[in-house]
Amino acid sequence: MSREIIPLHIMSAFQAEPPELDFVIPGFLAGTVGSLYAPGGVGKSFLALEIAASVAGVDLLGLGHHHTGRTLYIALEDPEIVLRRRLYAIGSHLSSQQRELFAEKVEVLPMLGVPFDLQDGQHADWLTERAEGIRLIIVDTLSRSHSGDESNNGEMANLLRVLERIGANTGAAILFLHHVNKSSGRERNGDQFAIRGASALLDNARFGAAITYVEDDDAAAGVRIRYAVSKNNYAAPIPHRYFLRHEGGVLLPAPQEQDEETGESPKEQRMGQRRNHKPKALPSLLNPFGSPYLAAKNGETHAW
């Protein structure tokens, strides 16, 4: 084993008040593994970059007070030019001081096409060493970080153990980005059973959040995204949050009344009464900044 296992001193646990839990973002405990999952093109990579900004102390998302630190972003899916465009769009919403803080505390590694397999001990050791002093590691996406069978519970449980070991050895929270299964993508379902592949991917994680499009009768309202924490082992339930997509793909908070008990907006409550009907694809008017999926479907281009 890579570290010594020391039995917990039970009497001291009875007598000494434990420290407060250290959350990287609300509900996501430092040193643990979590997942952010969504249908393709909704904006999970953008949201992940903005979460990195929040951890750095630049809170565009309105996530609230939490300790800050450094983020290591492993970009396995997108070319450098796309990463630069996303950062440029985010930078347009930041002051010069906030830009400096972001640049100081967020490290983005463009690794498209670079051999990287967390099931390879050398690659896992490399990430452990690279993560020294890091508060949050973002793996974008999980499917490009291993060579195993995504539908095999045993293999995915072993992969999660690798991530858990890195988190335990470094103290960093590890957030992996992932997709939803096809039926959940069609129905815009963000519950715990929507994640693609083996159930161990979310069963063994300690935190899970999903983002999905929210249909709106008012096209002028823009593209509204719902952020829902579907799994949270160590904190009180977290209400849904809503974001609007702005120029370049940047997500910013969208004011929205919510039901205190369900966390749903009035629009979602109305939609819930019609869930027996198959949702229609969002028209391109509701997607002015370009979902790759919808752009391809409609013969359009997308800028992010």
Side-chain angles (χ1 to χ4, degrees):
M1 291 188 181
S2 59
R3 60 192 179 98
E4 183 182 0
I5 308 299
I6 302 174
L8 183 67
H9 193 284
I10 293 177
M11 286 306 298
S12 68
F14 287 153
Q15 297 165 358
E17 184 175 350
E20 294 291 326
L21 294 176
D22 179 15
F23 293 104
V24 175
I25 58 173
F28 189 16
L29 189 66
T32 66
V33 177
S35 176
L36 175 64
Y37 55 100
V42 174
K44 59 183 176 297
S45 294
F46 245 113
L47 182 61
L49 278 171
E50 293 185 55
I51 288 173
S54 180
V55 172
V58 182
D59 190 9
L60 288 171
L61 298 171
L63 294 178
H65 174 74
H66 51 80
H67 298 297
T68 60
R70 295 169 55 212
T71 294
L72 178 64
Y73 192 108
I74 309 294
L76 299 166
E77 189 169 59
D78 296 303
E80 183 173 338
I81 184 61
V82 171
L83 298 172
R84 286 183 171 274
R85 289 177 66 88
R86 289 173 181 166
L87 290 168
Y88 181 83
I90 291 172
S92 69
H93 293 271
L94 306 180
S95 67
S96 59
Q97 184 179 7
Q98 288 174 323
R99 290 183 181 187
E100 291 177 3
L101 187 60
F102 189 111
E104 175 189 349
K105 292 193 174 183
V106 179
E107 182 177 21
V108 178
L109 299 183
M111 292 177 58
L112 176 66
V114 176
F116 184 70
D117 188 345
L118 286 169
Q119 293 171 312
D120 181 321
Q122 290 184 331
H123 292 177
D125 290 344
W126 171 85
L127 182 55
T128 301
E129 293 175 6
R130 191 80 189 226
E132 182 178 356
I134 294 294
R135 181 160 176 78
L136 174 64
I137 301 170
I138 297 174
V139 179
D140 183 7
T141 61
L142 186 73
S143 63
R144 290 177 179 258
S145 71
H146 68 92
S147 56
D149 179 356
E150 193 176 89
S151 299
N152 187 301
N153 251 328
E155 290 191 28
M156 293 303 97
N158 286 333
L159 178 62
L160 266 289
R161 275 194 286 273
V162 172
L163 295 176
E164 289 169 344
R165 183 167 64 250
I166 294 171
N169 289 337
T170 64
I174 303 176
L175 183 69
F176 66 84
L177 276 53
H178 199 48
H179 294 89
V180 299
N181 55 53
K182 290 182 180 179
S183 63
S184 296
R186 284 193 297 267
E187 298 176 8
R188 300 179 180 85
N189 178 12
D191 68 21
Q192 188 169 336
F193 306 102
I195 195 166
R196 190 180 71 191
S199 60
L201 287 172
L202 201 53
D203 290 345
N204 292 18
R206 299 295 88 194
F207 172 87
I211 58 171
T212 53
Y213 284 120
V214 177
E215 293 190 42
D216 201 313
D217 294 331
D218 182 9
V223 181
R224 199 155 63 93
I225 306 295
R226 182 185 66 201
Y227 169 84
V229 176
S230 59
K231 183 175 184 181
N232 164 26
N233 286 82
Y234 304 119
I238 297 173
H240 298 343
R241 291 180 178 273
Y242 297 85
F243 303 107
L244 286 180
R245 190 181 305 290
H246 292 256
E247 185 174 358
V250 178
L251 301 177
L252 297 176
Q256 177 63 60
E257 294 181 4
Q258 296 178 9
D259 183 276
E260 292 184 0
E261 182 176 345
T262 66
E264 292 185 331
S265 68
K267 171 66 179 178
E268 286 182 305
Q269 293 175 18
R270 294 195 300 273
M271 288 292 292
Q273 298 171 4
R274 307 199 300 267
R275 282 173 186 161
N276 290 332
H277 299 283
K278 184 178 180 180
K280 297 180 180 178
L282 290 174
S284 59
L285 182 61
L286 286 180
N287 192 44
F289 305 113
S291 157
Y293 169 75
L294 291 177
K297 184 175 181 180
N298 298 331
E300 303 165 356
T301 59
H302 61 87
W304 57 275

